[in-house]
Every structure is written in C-alpha cells, then in structure tokens.
Amino acid sequence: MKKTVMKTAAITAPAVLAALFALALTALTAALIACPNPSGGDDQSGDGGSGGGGPSGEVWVVSTLAGNGHSGYADGTGAAAEFEWPTGITMDTSGNIYVADQSDHRIRTITPSGVVSTLAGNGSSGDTNGTGTAAQFYSPHDVAVDSAGTVYVADLYNALIRQITPEGVVSTLAGSGSYGYAEGTSTEAQFYSPAGVAVDSAGTVYVGDSYNDRIRQITPEGMVSTLAGSGSYGYTDGTGLTAKFKNPEGVAVDSAGNVYVADTQNHCIRRITSEGVVTTLAGSTKGYTDGIGTAAKLTWPNGVAVNSAGTVIYVTDWYNHCIRKLTRQ
C-alpha cells in the first residue's frame, strides 16, 4: 500500500536537510561529507558520531557558504543572506551555485565568493512565466544546469518542469500543470510531484516523477516519455516499463547516459542504462549499514550525485543524517 502521509516529509524536510548540508559543503571543491554510524550498528537514534574522520581517515571540513540559520528571504553576501527551506542544489562550470529555495518560491544563485541573489521568482506561489521576479514557482524542489547555463527546475506543486535562461527568462519546458500521468508533447504531458531533475550533455532532461513512480525523460524537442517504471508502487529490477519504483526523487546522469535514482521509499540506489535497464546498486531494507551492494542499508535516500565516469556516487541519506559514498570497485 502506498504511503501518502510520509511523502509530505519526504519532499520537504528530507530534502531540506540535504540542501542545508549541501549549502555548507559547497565551499569545498568536493561538496560532500561522509559520516560514521552513530551507534556502530543499525540504530538511527544517535545524534552523530564523535571525532572527525571519514572513510580511510579522510577529513572533510564543513563551513557555511551562505545563510545564517534563520528562515527568511534576503539577498546578500554570506551570512547576510537568508533562505526558507532550500532543497535542490547544483553548480555550473564556473562554480556558480543554483538553489531551489522551496518555501520562498524562488531560484537563488550564489557566486563562488558567496554573493546570493535571486535569479527568478517573486516569493508568491504561482505558475507565471516571465523574466526574473515577474515569474512564479510553487515549491520548486530541485534544479539542474546545462553547459550553456540554462537552469531546469522541478516545480513540485505546479507539476511542471520549468527552464530559466542565463538572462533569467522563465518558461515551461514540460507539463500541463495538472497532476496526472501523460506522455506527449510539452503541453500534453503530465507529472505528479516531480521531485528531481537532471540534464545530460545532449540536452535530454530526466525527471524523478515521484508520485507516478516513474523516471521520465524530456527530449530537447520537448517530447516527454517514460524511461523506466511501470507506474505501480513497488520494487522490481528490469527493463523500461517492467521496472518498479517507490516514490523516486533525486536523479543524476553520467557522461555515458546512465541515470542514477534515489529510490526513496525502497531505500536503495538504482541505475538505469541508456537502454532502460534498471538494476539496484546499493541498499535493500531501511537501516544504516556500510557494505557492498544490497548488503548496505540506507533510509529514505532522496538525493543523488555522480561523477562523469559513473564510478563514484554520493547520496543524501535523509533519515540517517548522512551523506553516503558509493564507489565502484
């Protein structure tokens, strides 16, 4: 039976914590951390381990790039800036950071020196297209950016995928604006709580269509189709529509076109090849265990990032309050 109550948390608070981690960590060249199991087993009641070491004695220094810990809205530099439940985060080739500031209904940018400004959105929920603050979003949940600087937004409660040019012009890439499931052209297609977005080098956009339990793809021409997922809430590896997911959220893509999925309520990380073959890379039942493949345990992972070679994957492991690292041996 599909959980509906839990999902509200899974698309707000979980991703919030993930983004707050990320905002602090983007001051590093690798904006990621690893943390030890608080209790040495599967217990999730601890409040974090003592000491500062990561795997193999690595040490990762955490600092705050922007924000002061207060919920609100303010542009400015470093601690002068404020966010309200920031969720998705991405970085362009110049080191500029883009943030889906969910409850502010805005897309924010942060320069490498920590200067925060608003790229688009005026703080009022809505679905208006336009330039800069003339545009509206409704709880934008995730962002991605391509090599040309176009930003893609998973506009959660509008059930839309939006795009923003480098000049701040917002338009709708795909979605009718009604909750549902439909393939087709950009205006015919429907999504149901799109929670994750990624873009590959060819301009294909991938969407974690959470409540449809599918991974969708949008061609540069605006055609929407399902890459994988039957639409039935469940767990099955397989090809294309034979595979099943449970409220997938975060998505990422490597240089070979493999798509990685944080399959949130299956507590695992899945991979989809360019041919649509879905396999499970890590995770099984919920818990906290480091290990190999399905021997490892995660709890409600909701964000994923991958290097271009597809050999290292990072995961926001929400309920375990950790960033996990998967390395291909």
Side-chain angles (χ1 to χ4, degrees), residues 4-291:
T4 55
V5 176
M6 162 59 200
K7 188 58 188 176
T8 302
I11 57 178
T12 54
V16 169
L17 293 177
L20 290 176
F21 268 117
L23 281 172
L25 298 172
T26 45
L28 305 173
T29 55
L32 302 150
I33 60 171
C35 66
N37 185 0
S39 63
D42 288 348
D43 179 25
Q44 296 155 352
S45 62
D47 59 357
S50 59
S56 303
E58 294 176 355
V59 175
W60 297 85
V61 179
V62 180
S63 61
T64 299
L65 176 64
N68 55 32
H70 296 288
S71 176
Y73 169 72
D75 286 334
T77 300
E82 292 184 349
F83 303 86
E84 187 167 358
W85 305 119
T87 53
I89 189 168
T90 192
M91 183 185 296
D92 67 18
T93 55
S94 299
N96 297 299
I97 296 163
Y98 302 85
V99 179
D101 194 2
Q102 186 175 25
S103 291
D104 273 329
H105 309 295
R106 294 175 168 99
I107 305 302
R108 316 287 290 280
T109 62
I110 311 174
T111 67
S113 58
V115 179
V116 178
S117 60
T118 299
L119 176 63
N122 58 26
S124 297
S125 60
D127 62 0
T128 302
N129 289 323
T131 300
T133 55
Q136 292 178 317
F137 301 90
Y138 191 2
S139 295
H141 193 265
D142 198 16
V143 285
V145 62
D146 66 19
S147 59
T150 298
V151 177
Y152 301 87
V153 181
D155 196 356
L156 187 72
Y157 293 138
N158 278 326
L160 297 172
I161 304 302
R162 317 285 290 278
Q163 59 184 3
I164 312 173
T165 68
E167 295 75 33
V169 179
V170 178
S171 60
T172 297
L173 176 64
S176 67
S178 298
Y179 290 154
Y181 170 73
E183 313 277 36
T185 64
S186 60
T187 55
E188 296 171 337
Q190 290 182 328
F191 303 91
Y192 194 175
S193 295
V197 66
V199 60
D200 68 17
S201 59
T204 299
V205 175
Y206 302 91
V207 179
D209 194 2
S210 185
Y211 261 23
N212 276 323
D213 301 306
R214 293 175 166 101
I215 305 304
R216 315 286 291 279
Q217 58 186 359
I218 310 169
T219 68
E221 296 74 33
M223 292 298 296
V224 179
S225 61
T226 296
L227 175 64
S230 68
S232 297
Y233 184 79
Y235 172 80
T236 305
D237 283 338
T239 300
L241 303 185
T242 66
K244 293 182 181 180
F245 300 88
K246 287 184 180 179
N247 297 143
E249 294 195 20
V251 289
V253 60
D254 68 20
S255 60
N258 298 301
V259 177
Y260 301 81
V261 181
D263 192 1
T264 302
Q265 294 201 38
N266 274 323
H267 313 291
C268 63
I269 304 302
R270 318 283 290 278
R271 181 177 63 193
I272 311 171
T273 68
S274 55
E275 293 78 28
V277 179
V278 179
T279 55
T280 299
L281 300 184
S284 52
T285 58
K286 66 180 180 180
Y288 182 97
T289 304
D290 286 337

